[in-house]
Amino acid sequence: MTLTTLLLTVLLFCVTVNSVPQEAEQLSSDSEVTAEGWMDVKGRHMKWVSTGPAGVWAVDMNDNIYYRRDTYNMPNQRIPSKGSRWTNVDGKLKQISVGWNIIWGVNSGDQIFYRTGVSPLNPEGTGWQSVGGGLKKVGVSPVSNAVWGVNSRDQIFTKLGITGTNQQGTAWQQIDGALSDVSVDAAGVWGVNNKGLIHYRLGTFTNPHYPGTDWKIVPGKLVNIDSGRGIIWGVNSAQNVFWSRISTSPGRVNWHHVSGIKLKQISVNSNDNSVWAIDGSDRVVFRRGV
């Protein structure tokens, strides 16, 4: 090999090494890129996951509760974090929802709880406070802490009186209609019924505390839906994944199919529109936006 050839080989090697995307360099051994930009978050199998500014929380098959370390969103944070590891938190819940600085959940008896003492310095909080009523699923807005939920009879409720100093609010207000799943965020209140029909609550776009005026059925069928900031995500009965941008005319949707992955449940963080989900094998997966 001549000196010129050797120098060219060394130069090519240096260019190749230095051109590795920073995104790839930031991925730890706890994660690997899967189909269409999804990352497999290793460690535990879960049945429900939720993401919001207060971090990523999940529950496993035995209703054990976990917080994902280093996922609490600090002010002005722009790069979504997949966190470092799962930490077991006291209590038992079958479903959980993450808000701005609070976590709500329901247990196997449909009892309702919210997490007290959640803060940037103590993202795991201090304890669970029970709330009157009974719900099978609860949803809290990551932008306003507004709370909506559905009970075992698919009746719909929203919590009144929630403020910065009164995190559990006052009374439950029943909303007309019937849903099996409901989500609330800046893109409004969205839900699906037991036939998979997708509903949007008129008047709730950018105003999730408002109880709305009526339900509008939009095209498509889903079994799980989650509302983000200007976007909604959902999965259907075949575990196919879809998303749609939502504008000032939120009753209009333009569904995009995300190929290459099957999901059971999905959650969107309105702070950065990152997505966490449970796949068909009960693994937790993560994606940095659309």
Side-chain angles (χ1 to χ4, degrees):
M1 179 182 295
T2 66
L3 179 61
T4 300
T5 303
L6 178 61
L7 289 173
L8 286 174
T9 302
V10 172
L11 179 61
L12 179 60
F13 173 79
C14 293
V15 170
T16 302
V17 170
N18 291 330
S19 65
V20 174
Q22 292 184 356
E23 182 75 3
E25 293 177 340
Q26 292 171 355
L27 299 183
S28 72
S29 59
D30 189 39
S31 150
E32 51 189 54
V33 177
T34 61
E36 298 294 328
W38 295 92
M39 289 176 278
D40 180 12
V41 180
K42 295 181 179 179
R44 291 189 176 275
H45 286 188
M46 303 289 187
K47 67 178 178 180
W48 195 276
V49 66
S50 181
T51 176
V56 176
W57 291 66
V59 293
D60 69 10
M61 309 306 169
N62 297 314
D63 293 353
N64 296 311
I65 307 166
Y66 293 89
Y67 164 70
R68 184 74 178 172
R69 283 279 183 90
D70 303 318
T71 56
Y72 194 104
N73 290 169
M74 301 303 291
N76 301 318
Q77 180 176 327
R78 291 293 178 265
I79 300 177
S81 170
K82 69 168 216 25
S84 55
R85 63 185 177 88
W86 294 108
T87 300
N88 185 223
V89 177
D90 62 286
K92 293 275 190 176
L93 295 173
K94 67 176 180 179
Q95 186 259 337
I96 200 165
S97 183
V98 178
W100 177 257
N101 60 352
I102 199 168
I103 294 89
W104 284 67
V106 295
N107 68 11
S108 58
D110 289 354
Q111 295 174 304
I112 310 164
F113 299 87
Y114 73 90
R115 190 74 175 170
T116 59
V118 177
S119 70
L121 295 178
N122 187 21
E124 296 173 29
T126 55
W128 294 104
Q129 175 67 48
S130 63
V131 178
L135 297 174
K136 67 176 180 179
K137 287 183 181 177
V138 66
V140 55
S141 168
V143 296
S144 69
N145 285 344
V147 176
W148 287 63
V150 294
N151 67 12
S152 59
R153 294 187 290 173
D154 289 352
Q155 294 173 316
I156 310 161
F157 296 87
T158 185
K159 203 74 161 78
L160 302 177
I162 290 179
T163 65
T165 57
N166 184 6
Q167 292 185 312
Q168 69 170 308
T170 53
W172 290 103
Q173 177 183 345
Q174 186 171 351
I175 304 297
D176 60 285
L179 295 175
S180 57
D181 188 32
V182 67
S183 174
V184 52
D185 205 348
V189 177
W190 293 77
V192 296
N193 66 10
N194 58 10
K195 296 181 180 178
L197 297 178
I198 306 166
H199 293 63
Y200 162 69
R201 188 68 177 175
L202 295 172
T204 60
F205 183 73
T206 70
N207 192 17
H209 279 291
Y210 181 53
T213 57
D214 200 2
W215 292 106
K216 178 177 181 178
I217 298 178
V218 302
K221 282 194 172 185
L222 299 171
V223 295
N224 175 238
I225 193 167
D226 205 55
S227 170
R229 186 182 296 274
I231 197 169
I232 53 175
W233 285 75
V235 297
N236 67 10
S237 59
Q239 300 183 5
N240 295 316
V241 187
F242 301 87
W243 64 270
S244 175
R245 297 284 186 191
I246 303 297
S247 64
T248 53
S249 299
R252 297 181 180 179
V253 294
N254 181 23
W255 293 113
H256 301 269
H257 177 227
V258 180
S259 62
I261 193 166
K262 296 284 189 178
L263 299 178
K264 292 180 176 181
Q265 181 259 324
I266 201 161
S267 179
V268 190
N269 186 340
S270 63
N271 199 52
D272 50 35
N273 274 343
S274 58
V275 181
W276 290 71
I278 306 296
D279 74 4
S281 300
D282 299 322
R283 299 177 306 175
V284 180
V285 294
F286 164 70
R287 179 187 179 107
R288 291 188 170 99
V290 175

PDB file of all heavy atoms in Angstrom, residues 53-82:
ATOM      1  N   PRO A  53     -45.941  15.999  30.832  1.00  0.00           N
ATOM      2  CA  PRO A  53     -44.859  16.778  31.442  1.00  0.00           C
ATOM      3  C   PRO A  53     -44.381  16.208  32.781  1.00  0.00           C
ATOM      4  O   PRO A  53     -43.229  16.394  33.154  1.00  0.00           O
ATOM      5  CB  PRO A  53     -45.497  18.156  31.619  1.00  0.00           C
ATOM      6  CG  PRO A  53     -46.507  18.237  30.530  1.00  0.00           C
ATOM      7  CD  PRO A  53     -47.068  16.850  30.409  1.00  0.00           C
ATOM      8  N   ALA A  54     -45.264  15.511  33.516  1.00  0.00           N
ATOM      9  CA  ALA A  54     -44.863  14.903  34.789  1.00  0.00           C
ATOM     10  C   ALA A  54     -44.145  13.578  34.607  1.00  0.00           C
ATOM     11  O   ALA A  54     -43.953  12.833  35.578  1.00  0.00           O
ATOM     12  CB  ALA A  54     -46.074  14.729  35.700  1.00  0.00           C
ATOM     13  N   GLY A  55     -43.751  13.260  33.380  1.00  0.00           N
ATOM     14  CA  GLY A  55     -42.949  12.069  33.134  1.00  0.00           C
ATOM     15  C   GLY A  55     -43.718  10.922  32.524  1.00  0.00           C
ATOM     16  O   GLY A  55     -44.870  11.076  32.098  1.00  0.00           O
ATOM     17  N   VAL A  56     -43.089   9.784  32.466  1.00  0.00           N
ATOM     18  CA  VAL A  56     -43.687   8.565  31.908  1.00  0.00           C
ATOM     19  C   VAL A  56     -43.975   7.598  33.055  1.00  0.00           C
ATOM     20  O   VAL A  56     -43.083   7.273  33.853  1.00  0.00           O
ATOM     21  CB  VAL A  56     -42.750   7.908  30.881  1.00  0.00           C
ATOM     22  CG1 VAL A  56     -43.337   6.596  30.382  1.00  0.00           C
ATOM     23  CG2 VAL A  56     -42.496   8.866  29.714  1.00  0.00           C
ATOM     24  N   TRP A  57     -45.226   7.152  33.136  1.00  0.00           N
ATOM     25  CA  TRP A  57     -45.665   6.216  34.166  1.00  0.00           C
ATOM     26  C   TRP A  57     -46.318   5.025  33.473  1.00  0.00           C
ATOM     27  O   TRP A  57     -46.881   5.156  32.375  1.00  0.00           O
ATOM     28  CB  TRP A  57     -46.648   6.882  35.119  1.00  0.00           C
ATOM     29  CG  TRP A  57     -46.039   7.942  35.999  1.00  0.00           C
ATOM     30  CD1 TRP A  57     -45.506   9.146  35.599  1.00  0.00           C
ATOM     31  CD2 TRP A  57     -45.880   7.888  37.415  1.00  0.00           C
ATOM     32  NE1 TRP A  57     -45.040   9.840  36.673  1.00  0.00           N
ATOM     33  CE2 TRP A  57     -45.259   9.107  37.808  1.00  0.00           C
ATOM     34  CE3 TRP A  57     -46.226   6.960  38.390  1.00  0.00           C
ATOM     35  CZ2 TRP A  57     -44.963   9.390  39.133  1.00  0.00           C
ATOM     36  CZ3 TRP A  57     -45.932   7.236  39.718  1.00  0.00           C
ATOM     37  CH2 TRP A  57     -45.306   8.449  40.083  1.00  0.00           C
ATOM     38  N   ALA A  58     -46.270   3.873  34.119  1.00  0.00           N
ATOM     39  CA  ALA A  58     -46.842   2.663  33.520  1.00  0.00           C
ATOM     40  C   ALA A  58     -47.286   1.702  34.614  1.00  0.00           C
ATOM     41  O   ALA A  58     -46.867   1.811  35.773  1.00  0.00           O
ATOM     42  CB  ALA A  58     -45.823   1.991  32.602  1.00  0.00           C
ATOM     43  N   VAL A  59     -48.131   0.759  34.221  1.00  0.00           N
ATOM     44  CA  VAL A  59     -48.536  -0.321  35.121  1.00  0.00           C
ATOM     45  C   VAL A  59     -48.332  -1.651  34.406  1.00  0.00           C
ATOM     46  O   VAL A  59     -48.510  -1.749  33.184  1.00  0.00           O
ATOM     47  CB  VAL A  59     -50.005  -0.177  35.585  1.00  0.00           C
ATOM     48  CG1 VAL A  59     -50.163   1.042  36.464  1.00  0.00           C
ATOM     49  CG2 VAL A  59     -50.959  -0.080  34.402  1.00  0.00           C
ATOM     50  N   ASP A  60     -47.949  -2.672  35.187  1.00  0.00           N
ATOM     51  CA  ASP A  60     -47.698  -3.979  34.584  1.00  0.00           C
ATOM     52  C   ASP A  60     -48.903  -4.901  34.733  1.00  0.00           C
ATOM     53  O   ASP A  60     -49.979  -4.483  35.176  1.00  0.00           O
ATOM     54  CB  ASP A  60     -46.418  -4.605  35.161  1.00  0.00           C
ATOM     55  CG  ASP A  60     -46.547  -5.012  36.630  1.00  0.00           C
ATOM     56  OD1 ASP A  60     -47.674  -4.994  37.177  1.00  0.00           O
ATOM     57  OD2 ASP A  60     -45.500  -5.356  37.237  1.00  0.00           O
ATOM     58  N   MET A  61     -48.744  -6.159  34.372  1.00  0.00           N
ATOM     59  CA  MET A  61     -49.851  -7.115  34.367  1.00  0.00           C
ATOM     60  C   MET A  61     -50.407  -7.377  35.767  1.00  0.00           C
ATOM     61  O   MET A  61     -51.540  -7.812  35.912  1.00  0.00           O
ATOM     62  CB  MET A  61     -49.400  -8.441  33.741  1.00  0.00           C
ATOM     63  CG  MET A  61     -48.722  -8.289  32.398  1.00  0.00           C
ATOM     64  SD  MET A  61     -49.716  -7.374  31.215  1.00  0.00           S
ATOM     65  CE  MET A  61     -48.532  -7.109  29.916  1.00  0.00           C
ATOM     66  N   ASN A  62     -49.600  -7.111  36.787  1.00  0.00           N
ATOM     67  CA  ASN A  62     -50.026  -7.324  38.172  1.00  0.00           C
ATOM     68  C   ASN A  62     -50.437  -6.025  38.854  1.00  0.00           C
ATOM     69  O   ASN A  62     -50.524  -5.966  40.089  1.00  0.00           O
ATOM     70  CB  ASN A  62     -48.898  -8.004  38.960  1.00  0.00           C
ATOM     71  CG  ASN A  62     -48.561  -9.380  38.422  1.00  0.00           C
ATOM     72  OD1 ASN A  62     -49.456 -10.177  38.147  1.00  0.00           O
ATOM     73  ND2 ASN A  62     -47.285  -9.657  38.252  1.00  0.00           N
ATOM     74  N   ASP A  63     -50.665  -4.974  38.059  1.00  0.00           N
ATOM     75  CA  ASP A  63     -51.086  -3.658  38.540  1.00  0.00           C
ATOM     76  C   ASP A  63     -50.020  -2.944  39.355  1.00  0.00           C
ATOM     77  O   ASP A  63     -50.320  -1.978  40.077  1.00  0.00           O
ATOM     78  CB  ASP A  63     -52.381  -3.755  39.363  1.00  0.00           C
ATOM     79  CG  ASP A  63     -53.584  -4.155  38.509  1.00  0.00           C
ATOM     80  OD1 ASP A  63     -53.439  -4.224  37.274  1.00  0.00           O
ATOM     81  OD2 ASP A  63     -54.663  -4.379  39.076  1.00  0.00           O
ATOM     82  N   ASN A  64     -48.766  -3.393  39.259  1.00  0.00           N
ATOM     83  CA  ASN A  64     -47.674  -2.655  39.879  1.00  0.00           C
ATOM     84  C   ASN A  64     -47.419  -1.371  39.097  1.00  0.00           C
ATOM     85  O   ASN A  64     -47.547  -1.340  37.869  1.00  0.00           O
ATOM     86  CB  ASN A  64     -46.400  -3.501  39.917  1.00  0.00           C
ATOM     87  CG  ASN A  64     -46.558  -4.725  40.782  1.00  0.00           C
ATOM     88  OD1 ASN A  64     -47.016  -4.644  41.916  1.00  0.00           O
ATOM     89  ND2 ASN A  64     -46.207  -5.892  40.239  1.00  0.00           N
ATOM     90  N   ILE A  65     -47.031  -0.318  39.803  1.00  0.00           N
ATOM     91  CA  ILE A  65     -46.885   1.016  39.211  1.00  0.00           C
ATOM     92  C   ILE A  65     -45.410   1.351  39.060  1.00  0.00           C
ATOM     93  O   ILE A  65     -44.610   1.104  39.970  1.00  0.00           O
ATOM     94  CB  ILE A  65     -47.570   2.073  40.101  1.00  0.00           C
ATOM     95  CG1 ILE A  65     -49.017   1.678  40.406  1.00  0.00           C
ATOM     96  CG2 ILE A  65     -47.505   3.449  39.457  1.00  0.00           C
ATOM     97  CD1 ILE A  65     -49.639   2.470  41.536  1.00  0.00           C
ATOM     98  N   TYR A  66     -45.063   1.955  37.919  1.00  0.00           N
ATOM     99  CA  TYR A  66     -43.669   2.309  37.656  1.00  0.00           C
ATOM    100  C   TYR A  66     -43.568   3.726  37.095  1.00  0.00           C
ATOM    101  O   TYR A  66     -44.398   4.158  36.296  1.00  0.00           O
ATOM    102  CB  TYR A  66     -43.033   1.335  36.665  1.00  0.00           C
ATOM    103  CG  TYR A  66     -42.885  -0.059  37.213  1.00  0.00           C
ATOM    104  CD1 TYR A  66     -43.923  -0.985  37.058  1.00  0.00           C
ATOM    105  CD2 TYR A  66     -41.740  -0.454  37.894  1.00  0.00           C
ATOM    106  CE1 TYR A  66     -43.809  -2.273  37.568  1.00  0.00           C
ATOM    107  CE2 TYR A  66     -41.625  -1.734  38.405  1.00  0.00           C
ATOM    108  CZ  TYR A  66     -42.658  -2.639  38.245  1.00  0.00           C
ATOM    109  OH  TYR A  66     -42.550  -3.894  38.751  1.00  0.00           O
ATOM    110  N   TYR A  67     -42.518   4.412  37.551  1.00  0.00           N
ATOM    111  CA  TYR A  67     -42.143   5.711  36.985  1.00  0.00           C
ATOM    112  C   TYR A  67     -40.849   5.529  36.201  1.00  0.00           C
ATOM    113  O   TYR A  67     -39.930   4.835  36.663  1.00  0.00           O
ATOM    114  CB  TYR A  67     -41.958   6.749  38.095  1.00  0.00           C
ATOM    115  CG  TYR A  67     -41.219   7.989  37.636  1.00  0.00           C
ATOM    116  CD1 TYR A  67     -41.814   8.883  36.755  1.00  0.00           C
ATOM    117  CD2 TYR A  67     -39.915   8.259  38.067  1.00  0.00           C
ATOM    118  CE1 TYR A  67     -41.130  10.013  36.309  1.00  0.00           C
ATOM    119  CE2 TYR A  67     -39.229   9.378  37.641  1.00  0.00           C
ATOM    120  CZ  TYR A  67     -39.836  10.257  36.760  1.00  0.00           C
ATOM    121  OH  TYR A  67     -39.163  11.363  36.320  1.00  0.00           O
ATOM    122  N   ARG A  68     -40.774   6.164  35.045  1.00  0.00           N
ATOM    123  CA  ARG A  68     -39.573   6.083  34.214  1.00  0.00           C
ATOM    124  C   ARG A  68     -38.626   7.220  34.600  1.00  0.00           C
ATOM    125  O   ARG A  68     -38.922   8.400  34.357  1.00  0.00           O
ATOM    126  CB  ARG A  68     -39.941   6.177  32.730  1.00  0.00           C
ATOM    127  CG  ARG A  68     -38.764   5.997  31.768  1.00  0.00           C
ATOM    128  CD  ARG A  68     -38.319   4.575  31.686  1.00  0.00           C
ATOM    129  NE  ARG A  68     -37.216   4.404  30.734  1.00  0.00           N
ATOM    130  CZ  ARG A  68     -36.538   3.284  30.590  1.00  0.00           C
ATOM    131  NH1 ARG A  68     -36.845   2.226  31.305  1.00  0.00           N
ATOM    132  NH2 ARG A  68     -35.562   3.207  29.714  1.00  0.00           N
ATOM    133  N   ARG A  69     -37.518   6.864  35.237  1.00  0.00           N
ATOM    134  CA  ARG A  69     -36.562   7.858  35.711  1.00  0.00           C
ATOM    135  C   ARG A  69     -36.096   8.773  34.572  1.00  0.00           C
ATOM    136  O   ARG A  69     -35.889   8.344  33.449  1.00  0.00           O
ATOM    137  CB  ARG A  69     -35.344   7.164  36.330  1.00  0.00           C
ATOM    138  CG  ARG A  69     -35.579   6.598  37.724  1.00  0.00           C
ATOM    139  CD  ARG A  69     -35.457   7.695  38.782  1.00  0.00           C
ATOM    140  NE  ARG A  69     -35.615   7.156  40.121  1.00  0.00           N
ATOM    141  CZ  ARG A  69     -34.632   6.709  40.877  1.00  0.00           C
ATOM    142  NH1 ARG A  69     -33.394   6.705  40.410  1.00  0.00           N
ATOM    143  NH2 ARG A  69     -34.869   6.249  42.090  1.00  0.00           N
ATOM    144  N   ASP A  70     -35.914  10.047  34.911  1.00  0.00           N
ATOM    145  CA  ASP A  70     -35.368  11.057  33.998  1.00  0.00           C
ATOM    146  C   ASP A  70     -36.292  11.366  32.822  1.00  0.00           C
ATOM    147  O   ASP A  70     -35.831  11.716  31.729  1.00  0.00           O
ATOM    148  CB  ASP A  70     -33.987  10.636  33.477  1.00  0.00           C
ATOM    149  CG  ASP A  70     -32.997  10.379  34.598  1.00  0.00           C
ATOM    150  OD1 ASP A  70     -32.981  11.168  35.559  1.00  0.00           O
ATOM    151  OD2 ASP A  70     -32.245   9.378  34.512  1.00  0.00           O
ATOM    152  N   THR A  71     -37.618  11.253  33.037  1.00  0.00           N
ATOM    153  CA  THR A  71     -38.570  11.630  31.985  1.00  0.00           C
ATOM    154  C   THR A  71     -39.420  12.833  32.375  1.00  0.00           C
ATOM    155  O   THR A  71     -40.231  13.289  31.575  1.00  0.00           O
ATOM    156  CB  THR A  71     -39.502  10.459  31.624  1.00  0.00           C
ATOM    157  OG1 THR A  71     -40.180  10.000  32.803  1.00  0.00           O
ATOM    158  CG2 THR A  71     -38.726   9.320  30.983  1.00  0.00           C
ATOM    159  N   TYR A  72     -39.267  13.334  33.601  1.00  0.00           N
ATOM    160  CA  TYR A  72     -40.012  14.531  34.005  1.00  0.00           C
ATOM    161  C   TYR A  72     -39.543  15.686  33.125  1.00  0.00           C
ATOM    162  O   TYR A  72     -38.360  15.995  33.071  1.00  0.00           O
ATOM    163  CB  TYR A  72     -39.773  14.839  35.480  1.00  0.00           C
ATOM    164  CG  TYR A  72     -40.749  15.845  36.076  1.00  0.00           C
ATOM    165  CD1 TYR A  72     -41.789  15.419  36.900  1.00  0.00           C
ATOM    166  CD2 TYR A  72     -40.621  17.200  35.824  1.00  0.00           C
ATOM    167  CE1 TYR A  72     -42.686  16.330  37.452  1.00  0.00           C
ATOM    168  CE2 TYR A  72     -41.507  18.109  36.369  1.00  0.00           C
ATOM    169  CZ  TYR A  72     -42.540  17.678  37.179  1.00  0.00           C
ATOM    170  OH  TYR A  72     -43.416  18.578  37.708  1.00  0.00           O
ATOM    171  N   ASN A  73     -40.486  16.322  32.418  1.00  0.00           N
ATOM    172  CA  ASN A  73     -40.128  17.388  31.482  1.00  0.00           C
ATOM    173  C   ASN A  73     -39.834  18.685  32.217  1.00  0.00           C
ATOM    174  O   ASN A  73     -40.707  19.242  32.889  1.00  0.00           O
ATOM    175  CB  ASN A  73     -41.259  17.640  30.492  1.00  0.00           C
ATOM    176  CG  ASN A  73     -41.448  16.519  29.493  1.00  0.00           C
ATOM    177  OD1 ASN A  73     -42.420  16.470  28.781  1.00  0.00           O
ATOM    178  ND2 ASN A  73     -40.502  15.579  29.438  1.00  0.00           N
ATOM    179  N   MET A  74     -38.620  19.174  32.086  1.00  0.00           N
ATOM    180  CA  MET A  74     -38.277  20.464  32.673  1.00  0.00           C
ATOM    181  C   MET A  74     -38.797  21.587  31.764  1.00  0.00           C
ATOM    182  O   MET A  74     -39.017  21.380  30.571  1.00  0.00           O
ATOM    183  CB  MET A  74     -36.757  20.579  32.837  1.00  0.00           C
ATOM    184  CG  MET A  74     -36.171  19.485  33.713  1.00  0.00           C
ATOM    185  SD  MET A  74     -36.909  19.424  35.360  1.00  0.00           S
ATOM    186  CE  MET A  74     -36.279  20.956  36.039  1.00  0.00           C
ATOM    187  N   PRO A  75     -39.022  22.787  32.315  1.00  0.00           N
ATOM    188  CA  PRO A  75     -39.501  23.905  31.494  1.00  0.00           C
ATOM    189  C   PRO A  75     -38.598  24.146  30.289  1.00  0.00           C
ATOM    190  O   PRO A  75     -37.372  24.094  30.389  1.00  0.00           O
ATOM    191  CB  PRO A  75     -39.464  25.093  32.471  1.00  0.00           C
ATOM    192  CG  PRO A  75     -39.606  24.465  33.820  1.00  0.00           C
ATOM    193  CD  PRO A  75     -38.888  23.152  33.729  1.00  0.00           C
ATOM    194  N   ASN A  76     -39.242  24.388  29.140  1.00  0.00           N
ATOM    195  CA  ASN A  76     -38.551  24.682  27.874  1.00  0.00           C
ATOM    196  C   ASN A  76     -37.748  23.503  27.337  1.00  0.00           C
ATOM    197  O   ASN A  76     -36.922  23.665  26.436  1.00  0.00           O
ATOM    198  CB  ASN A  76     -37.635  25.902  28.021  1.00  0.00           C
ATOM    199  CG  ASN A  76     -38.383  27.146  28.447  1.00  0.00           C
ATOM    200  OD1 ASN A  76     -39.477  27.413  27.952  1.00  0.00           O
ATOM    201  ND2 ASN A  76     -37.813  27.907  29.377  1.00  0.00           N
ATOM    202  N   GLN A  77     -37.966  22.303  27.871  1.00  0.00           N
ATOM    203  CA  GLN A  77     -37.290  21.127  27.329  1.00  0.00           C
ATOM    204  C   GLN A  77     -37.855  20.814  25.951  1.00  0.00           C
ATOM    205  O   GLN A  77     -39.054  20.724  25.770  1.00  0.00           O
ATOM    206  CB  GLN A  77     -37.477  19.928  28.251  1.00  0.00           C
ATOM    207  CG  GLN A  77     -36.808  18.653  27.760  1.00  0.00           C
ATOM    208  CD  GLN A  77     -36.941  17.517  28.771  1.00  0.00           C
ATOM    209  OE1 GLN A  77     -36.957  17.755  29.964  1.00  0.00           O
ATOM    210  NE2 GLN A  77     -37.040  16.306  28.278  1.00  0.00           N
ATOM    211  N   ARG A  78     -37.006  20.646  24.978  1.00  0.00           N
ATOM    212  CA  ARG A  78     -37.447  20.434  23.607  1.00  0.00           C
ATOM    213  C   ARG A  78     -37.112  19.051  23.068  1.00  0.00           C
ATOM    214  O   ARG A  78     -37.691  18.601  22.097  1.00  0.00           O
ATOM    215  CB  ARG A  78     -36.842  21.511  22.686  1.00  0.00           C
ATOM    216  CG  ARG A  78     -37.419  22.911  22.945  1.00  0.00           C
ATOM    217  CD  ARG A  78     -38.877  22.966  22.543  1.00  0.00           C
ATOM    218  NE  ARG A  78     -39.483  24.264  22.802  1.00  0.00           N
ATOM    219  CZ  ARG A  78     -40.160  24.573  23.882  1.00  0.00           C
ATOM    220  NH1 ARG A  78     -40.323  23.661  24.827  1.00  0.00           N
ATOM    221  NH2 ARG A  78     -40.685  25.768  24.051  1.00  0.00           N
ATOM    222  N   ILE A  79     -36.128  18.391  23.660  1.00  0.00           N
ATOM    223  CA  ILE A  79     -35.725  17.069  23.168  1.00  0.00           C
ATOM    224  C   ILE A  79     -36.339  16.014  24.083  1.00  0.00           C
ATOM    225  O   ILE A  79     -35.999  15.936  25.267  1.00  0.00           O
ATOM    226  CB  ILE A  79     -34.197  16.925  23.136  1.00  0.00           C
ATOM    227  CG1 ILE A  79     -33.576  17.985  22.226  1.00  0.00           C
ATOM    228  CG2 ILE A  79     -33.808  15.526  22.666  1.00  0.00           C
ATOM    229  CD1 ILE A  79     -32.063  17.964  22.196  1.00  0.00           C
ATOM    230  N   PRO A  80     -37.270  15.205  23.578  1.00  0.00           N
ATOM    231  CA  PRO A  80     -37.899  14.173  24.419  1.00  0.00           C
ATOM    232  C   PRO A  80     -36.869  13.183  24.942  1.00  0.00           C
ATOM    233  O   PRO A  80     -35.949  12.789  24.233  1.00  0.00           O
ATOM    234  CB  PRO A  80     -38.888  13.501  23.465  1.00  0.00           C
ATOM    235  CG  PRO A  80     -39.075  14.461  22.335  1.00  0.00           C
ATOM    236  CD  PRO A  80     -37.788  15.204  22.205  1.00  0.00           C
ATOM    237  N   SER A  81     -37.046  12.803  26.181  1.00  0.00           N
ATOM    238  CA  SER A  81     -36.141  11.836  26.792  1.00  0.00           C
ATOM    239  C   SER A  81     -36.836  10.494  26.963  1.00  0.00           C
ATOM    240  O   SER A  81     -38.000  10.436  27.348  1.00  0.00           O
ATOM    241  CB  SER A  81     -35.676  12.343  28.162  1.00  0.00           C
ATOM    242  OG  SER A  81     -34.993  11.322  28.868  1.00  0.00           O
ATOM    243  N   LYS A  82     -36.136   9.409  26.681  1.00  0.00           N
ATOM    244  CA  LYS A  82     -36.686   8.084  26.908  1.00  0.00           C
ATOM    245  C   LYS A  82     -36.346   7.559  28.301  1.00  0.00           C
ATOM    246  O   LYS A  82     -36.707   6.464  28.676  1.00  0.00           O
ATOM    247  CB  LYS A  82     -36.214   7.102  25.846  1.00  0.00           C
ATOM    248  CG  LYS A  82     -34.749   6.771  25.948  1.00  0.00           C
ATOM    249  CD  LYS A  82     -34.448   5.596  25.066  1.00  0.00           C
ATOM    250  CE  LYS A  82     -33.426   4.658  25.608  1.00  0.00           C
ATOM    251  NZ  LYS A  82     -33.197   4.568  27.004  1.00  0.00           N
TER     252      LYS A  82
END
